[in-house]
Amino acid sequence: MMDTVTDASSKPTSSSARSRMTGKQRREQLIEVGRKLFADKGFEGTSVEEIAAKASVSKPVVYEHFGGKEGLYAVVVDREIAALLGGITGTLSAELGSRETLERAAMALLDYIETNTDGFRILVRDSPPGQSTGSFASLISDVASQVEHILAAEFKRRKLDPKSAPLYAQMLVGMVALTGQWWLDSPKMKKSDVAAHLVNLAWNGLAGLEKKPGLISER
């Protein structure tokens, strides 16, 4: 009987296991919990109480690490943007032809959507009030800024106005991002087929650009 009591007392309880978690481990746990809740319910639909309950901690622990829900959300969004931009800019740094660069960038975004579904759902939601980063619009701007120089070089080669490259970069990235959002909700097509159709429209559209475009109704 004594042996049984000794063995039972030597086993760590769930409470003692939690208490041994380091500050860094606790922070990572809260980030993962918050990431899942923000993806499922959005920023407004998620409460500090729910985050704390899912992590089996008290509300003050969440405030201690992040200052509140807003701070946790900002960390989650920053990590997702860094992961997405890292994947896309990695494809843009290679010495490739313009079409292959576009193909790889489209595939990088679709790869991210496929492997980081929760993260992408968070990024395409609206940011909380007062937050200037993390919205879908700001994400598109961040990615577009990475491809402007590629388009500008292509425009110069074709004797088109390179000053319009930022505008076309926004349009191209927006098209890919919105299509990726549609594909996430309706994953009926293969990823490579989605990328191929995206590039088909984007590349053939770029190939036929007019030097001075105008509206037919205004001619």
Side-chain angles (χ1 to χ4, degrees):
M1 180 66 68
M2 289 297 292
D3 290 341
T4 302
V5 173
T6 301
D7 290 342
S9 63
S10 65
K11 292 180 181 179
T13 64
S14 59
S15 177
S16 63
R18 287 196 299 270
S19 66
R20 287 198 208 95
M21 191 177 288
T22 65
K24 183 178 181 180
Q25 290 171 332
R26 177 69 70 201
R27 179 181 174 84
E28 291 301 318
Q29 178 208 25
L30 290 171
I31 290 172
E32 284 303 310
V33 168
R35 183 177 184 269
K36 180 61 178 174
L37 288 173
F38 291 138
D40 291 343
K41 299 186 174 185
F43 177 82
E44 295 296 340
T46 301
S47 67
V48 173
E49 289 84 355
E50 190 170 11
I51 294 169
K54 289 287 185 180
S56 298
V57 298
S58 62
K59 287 171 54 179
V61 173
V62 180
Y63 288 109
E64 177 186 350
H65 282 276
F66 302 99
K69 183 175 69 170
E70 293 80 4
L72 175 56
Y73 182 87
V75 171
V76 170
V77 167
D78 285 347
R79 286 192 175 191
E80 295 303 326
I81 288 180
L84 177 54
L85 288 179
I88 293 178
T89 55
T91 67
L92 302 180
S93 63
E95 293 297 328
L96 302 170
S98 296
R99 174 159 183 159
E100 189 173 356
T101 296
L102 183 59
E103 289 178 0
R104 291 198 177 193
M107 282 296 292
L109 175 59
L110 296 177
D111 284 341
Y112 171 82
I113 293 172
E114 184 177 52
T115 59
N116 297 276
T117 301
D118 285 346
F120 187 72
R121 288 192 187 281
I122 292 170
L123 292 179
V124 298
R125 293 180 187 273
D126 291 334
S127 301
Q131 182 164 315
S132 60
T133 61
S135 69
F136 197 34
S138 68
L139 171 65
I140 289 176
S141 294
D142 288 342
V143 178
S145 67
Q146 304 293 325
V147 302
E148 283 179 18
H149 67 284
I150 294 176
L151 286 180
E154 184 70 15
F155 279 21
K156 287 180 180 179
R157 189 180 69 81
R158 297 188 183 191
K159 297 182 179 181
L160 298 171
D161 184 6
K163 292 181 181 179
S164 61
L167 171 62
Y168 282 90
Q170 291 282 341
M171 291 188 288
L172 282 173
V173 174
M175 178 182 71
V176 175
L178 286 172
T179 302
Q181 187 176 5
W182 167 83
W183 179 63
L184 176 62
D185 295 327
S186 306
K188 297 179 181 178
M189 294 182 67
K190 289 171 53 180
K191 178 172 57 178
S192 58
D193 289 341
V194 175
H197 282 288
L198 277 168
V199 174
N200 182 37
L201 175 60
W203 183 256
N204 289 312
L206 287 171
L209 287 182
E210 299 174 338
K211 289 187 176 181
K212 294 183 177 181
L215 300 178
I216 295 177
S217 59
E218 295 182 356
R219 291 178 181 175

